[in-house]
Amino acid sequence: MTHTRIRPFNTKETYPEQALDNDLCQAVVTRGGRTIWLRGQCPQNLDDAVNIDSHDPAEQTHKVMQNICQLIEEAGGNITHLVKVVVYITDVRHREAVYRTMGEYIKGVHPVSTGLVVQALARPEWLVEIDATAVIPD
């Protein structure tokens, strides 16, 4: 890994009641490099801002994570450079589907993560939005 991950953990051991399998950590240390600050990614196409045609939280999360991967790659990095995510969901019942799907993309990466349940996002059809930060090492 390109960054130092402090106290990495997997949610299946830390939060067994949630039935999730996400690789996260308590802190990430970066040195030098280029920081990529991504705006909150929503379930829409990057090229035309058209929403995907789904009200399924897992499908929406796949699109959000695909956008995050694409933007990091366009900046010259890859998903292993991800250091932080902030996950916004509109219904706590979607948490497991959202985090399970996100976990598919961050397996072995161990970013830090904050999760929030919010009343609404910018568009009523959005169930999830993820804000991400990555650092591409020198």
Side-chain angles (χ1 to χ4, degrees):
M1 272 189 213
T2 56
H3 306 306
T4 303
R5 313 288 172 152
I6 297 175
R7 296 180 183 247
F9 65 94
N10 184 286
T11 54
K12 67 183 170 193
E13 289 111 24
T14 309
Y15 305 108
E17 73 281 1
Q18 295 179 359
L20 295 172
D21 182 15
N22 288 356
D23 290 333
L24 301 172
C25 68
Q26 295 295 335
V28 178
V29 180
T30 65
R31 190 178 307 257
R34 291 178 291 141
T35 302
I36 307 164
W37 305 92
L38 280 70
R39 74 184 292 246
Q41 292 302 302
C42 301
Q44 63 182 12
N45 299 325
L46 288 172
D47 293 331
D48 58 13
V50 172
N51 292 334
I52 66 167
D53 187 24
S54 174
H55 294 287
D56 177 73
E59 287 182 22
Q60 287 196 11
T61 305
H62 274 297
K63 183 59 180 168
V64 167
M65 292 306 297
Q66 290 163 2
N67 288 353
I68 288 170
C69 290
Q70 181 179 340
L71 290 166
I72 293 172
E73 288 169 7
E74 288 178 12
N78 62 60
I79 196 65
T80 66
H81 300 136
L82 185 68
V83 296
K84 182 173 182 169
V85 293
V86 179
V87 181
Y88 302 89
I89 57 175
T90 58
D91 188 327
V92 71
R93 294 171 294 188
H94 299 316
R95 187 179 190 282
E96 195 168 315
V98 168
Y99 276 79
R100 183 175 291 116
T101 304
M102 183 180 72
E104 295 174 24
Y105 293 84
I106 62 170
K107 195 71 171 163
V109 177
H110 297 275
V112 296
S113 173
T114 299
L116 301 163
V117 179
V118 297
Q119 186 173 4
L121 295 168
R123 293 191 175 162
E125 61 271 24
W126 293 348
L127 306 175
V128 59
E129 181 172 339
I130 300 176
D131 176 2
T133 306
V135 178
I136 301 173
D138 291 329

